[in-house]
Amino acid sequence: MEAVPTPKKATRGRAVSPPGCRREKSPQERKVYMDYNATTPLEPEVIQAMTEAMWEAWGNPSSPYTAGKKAKDIISAARETLANMIGGKPQDIIFTSGGTESNNLVIHSMVKYFHENQTSRGDVVEQHSPEEGARPHFITCTVEHDSIRLPLEHLVEEQVAEVTFVPVSRVNGQAEIDDILAAVRPTTCLVTIMLANNETGVVMPVPEISQRIRALNQRRAASGLPRVLVHTDAAQALGKRRVDVEDLGVDFLTIVGHKFYGPRIGALYVRGLGKVTPLYPMLFGGGQERNFRPGTENTPMIAGLGKAAELVTENWEAYEAHMRDVRDYLEERLQAEFGRVVLAQCRMLLASVGASCHSDQGDRPSPVLLSCGIPFDVARNALRLSVGRSTTRAEVDLVVQDLKQAVAQLEGQA
C-alpha cells in the first residue's frame, strides 16, 4: 500500500510587504467597517483552529483511522463548547449549515409534530374555527428575520399551517407578551420570537414569554391540549450579551457562527433533544448528528465554531462592555452632529441601509422599521450602523466626519 504524502504546512503569520512599500493610508483610503450585524470577521484563533483541523483532522469523522478519530474528537469538543456558551447540554446541540437551516428545521419539525400528535391522540383537537381545519398554528412577530417569516408565509400559502404575526410596540419595538398570549389557539404549536432584532437592536422579553407559556401549558395539559413550544433566534445576541437557555426558558435556540466572529455555519439547541422536545429531520442520509441532520460533518467549520464559542464564553463580559461603550459614544456623536445621513456619498464608511437579507428589495424601506412605526421616508433613508469588538472611538470620530462630508456634498448638490 502506498503511503499518503502529508502536505507541507504553510508558514503561519501575516504576509509582510516588501521593503519600501509600506505607507500609511490617507483618510480617503481608510475604510471603517460598521456592519457587524450583517457579518463579523473571523478571529485569528478561529482561523487557526480551522486551519489545524484541515491539516490534522481531514478524515471522515465516521472512520476508525487516526484522522477520522481526530475529526470526531474535534466535533465532540465543539459541541461541548457550544453547549457551555449557552448553558445547555452537549447532547442537545445539532450542527447545521447556518441560522436559516436551524430556523426552518424548527418550523417544519413543528408541523410534523402537530400531525403526529393528532394521530397519536386519535381525535381532532378543538378548532379555532370550523373553516380552518386541523392545521398547526404558529405565533411570531412582525420584525422577525426572513428565515422565520418566509417559511411561515410559505406554509400559509400552501394551506399547511396558520400563522399569527403579532405587531411590535411602536413605543419600544418589542413584541408585547399579552398580545402573544392572546393569539394562542388550541392548535398553536410554536411561539417563535427572536432574542435581539438585527436592525433595531431591541431585545425581546423572551424569558417572560417562556414563563407565561409554561403556565399556559399546565392549563392546556389539564384540558387535553398539546403544549406550546418556544423558539428564539439568538443570532444577534450571542457574543454581545449573556445568553443562557435556562434563563430564557426556551425549547429551541438558533446559533449563527458568523455573527460572533466564527465561520458561516450554525447550530440548533433543542431542550432534551428527541426525548423532551421533538425534532424531525428535513434531510435523510448517513445518520450523522443522530439522524437529525445527516451528511458528513464539516470538521474545519465546526472546529472554528467551537473556538468562536469558547472565546465568547471566556470574554463575553468584556465584549459586551466594550461594544456598549462604543455604541453609546457613536449615538452621542451622531445626535450632536446631525439628524440624517446618506450612505452613498461616504468615502470610508462600510455599513448597510437596512438589513442585508433585504438587499433584493431595491430602495424600498425595511419592513422591520415600518413595523416599528417609522415613517416611510425616514425608513427608506435609514442607515444601520453596528459596532464590533475592535471598533474604537477614533473610528467613530472618522465615521462621523465621513457622514458630515457626505451630507455637505449632498446639500451642495440640492
Side-chain angles (χ1 to χ4, degrees):
M1 177 185 287
E2 266 191 342
V4 178
T6 302
K8 185 177 180 181
K9 290 189 179 182
T11 303
R12 291 198 184 102
R14 295 183 178 178
V16 179
S17 301
C21 290
R22 288 187 178 182
R23 63 183 178 85
E24 290 294 323
K25 289 186 177 181
S26 67
Q28 288 76 19
E29 292 176 311
R30 184 169 181 178
K31 301 298 179 184
V32 178
Y33 184 71
M34 281 198 175
D35 204 15
Y36 290 91
N37 282 6
T39 198
T40 56
L42 295 173
E43 286 282 14
E45 296 94 329
V46 171
I47 296 174
Q48 181 176 341
M50 294 168 63
T51 302
E52 289 178 353
M54 290 178 189
W55 284 114
E56 301 168 7
W58 49 266
N60 191 312
S62 300
S63 300
Y65 42 78
T66 302
K69 289 181 179 178
K70 179 69 172 177
K72 187 173 183 179
D73 289 344
I74 286 175
I75 293 168
S76 296
R79 198 186 310 276
E80 185 169 350
T81 306
L82 255 70
N84 289 338
M85 178 179 67
I86 61 170
K89 298 177 180 178
Q91 61 266 32
D92 292 341
I93 299 289
I94 293 293
F95 292 110
T96 66
S97 63
T100 294
E101 182 186 337
S102 295
N103 289 344
N104 276 262
L105 184 55
V106 171
I107 290 169
H108 289 284
S109 288
M110 288 300 93
V111 173
K112 180 77 170 176
Y113 172 64
F114 175 85
H115 289 297
E116 287 208 352
N117 186 69
Q118 291 276 76
T119 302
S120 65
R121 288 180 58 202
D123 59 6
V124 177
V125 299
E126 178 186 348
Q127 300 302 304
H128 179 68
S129 65
E131 294 79 16
E132 291 178 345
R135 298 174 189 159
H137 174 242
F138 294 81
I139 299 172
T140 189
C141 68
T142 53
V143 297
E144 290 291 320
H145 190 269
D146 280 355
S147 59
I148 291 291
R149 179 179 62 84
L150 292 178
L152 289 176
E153 288 180 349
H154 175 75
L155 291 177
V156 172
E157 291 171 2
E158 296 294 315
Q159 298 184 345
V160 172
E162 300 290 334
V163 180
T164 298
F165 290 92
V166 175
V168 295
S169 167
R170 298 200 169 195
V171 176
N172 59 22
Q174 289 185 332
E176 300 285 0
I177 300 172
D178 289 341
D179 291 344
I180 292 171
L181 270 292
V184 174
R185 306 174 185 175
T187 52
T188 301
C189 59
L190 183 73
V191 172
T192 173
I193 302 292
M194 65 189 351
L195 186 50
N197 188 267
N198 53 307
E199 293 189 47
T200 64
V202 169
V203 177
M204 298 294 181
V206 174
E208 293 81 2
I209 293 170
S210 297
Q211 185 177 11
R212 294 282 296 275
I213 292 295
R214 281 198 300 271
L216 175 64
N217 281 336
Q218 293 179 352
R219 299 194 295 273
R220 287 173 68 93
S223 302
L225 293 173
R227 64 192 175 113
V228 178
L229 300 179
V230 179
H231 165 249
T232 191
D233 182 345
Q236 292 294 342
L238 286 165
K240 301 171 184 173
R241 57 181 288 128
R242 183 171 178 268
V243 175
D244 188 291
V245 292
E246 295 305 318
D247 292 343
L248 294 173
V250 294
D251 302 290
F252 303 98
L253 183 138
T254 292
I255 299 169
V256 183
H258 75 101
K259 304 297 187 181
F260 56 96
Y261 293 74
R264 286 176 182 160
I265 64 166
L268 177 66
Y269 163 81
V270 185
R271 183 183 299 275
L273 175 60
K275 298 177 181 178
V276 177
T277 305
L279 191 73
Y280 299 85
M282 292 193 297
L283 307 173
F284 298 88
Q288 293 86 353
E289 295 298 288
R290 288 155 289 166
N291 280 314
F292 291 111
R293 207 283 184 179
T296 304
E297 300 93 337
N298 191 337
T299 307
M301 289 289 190
I302 291 173
L305 185 63
K307 176 56 70 172
E310 179 183 317
L311 293 173
V312 168
T313 302
E314 295 174 350
N315 303 296
W316 71 265
E317 290 177 296
Y319 293 156
E320 181 182 22
H322 172 75
M323 286 187 279
R324 181 187 293 115
D325 175 73
V326 177
R327 179 204 63 189
D328 292 348
Y329 181 65
L330 173 62
E331 290 181 357
E332 291 170 7
R333 289 297 318 276
L334 291 174
Q335 290 173 0
E337 294 293 346
F338 36 65
R340 67 180 180 88
V341 295
V342 180
L343 179 63
Q345 302 299 321
C346 292
R347 298 173 181 174
M348 67 183 71
L349 172 62
L350 304 177
S352 292
V353 179
S356 54
C357 56
H358 299 144
S359 59
D360 62 341
Q361 297 183 357
D363 64 349
R364 286 181 292 172
S366 160
V368 169
L369 297 183
L370 293 179
S371 296
C372 293
I374 305 299
F376 185 93
D377 287 342
V378 175
R380 186 174 59 181
N381 293 291
L383 176 66
R384 182 179 73 171
L385 301 178
S386 47
V387 301
R389 298 173 187 174
S390 61
T391 309
T392 65
R393 287 191 169 209
E395 288 178 325
V396 168
D397 292 336
L398 286 173
V399 165
V400 172
Q401 185 62 36
D402 196 24
L403 290 168
K404 285 174 65 177
Q405 70 82 23
V407 171
Q409 182 177 348
L410 289 168
E411 288 177 341
Q413 296 172 355

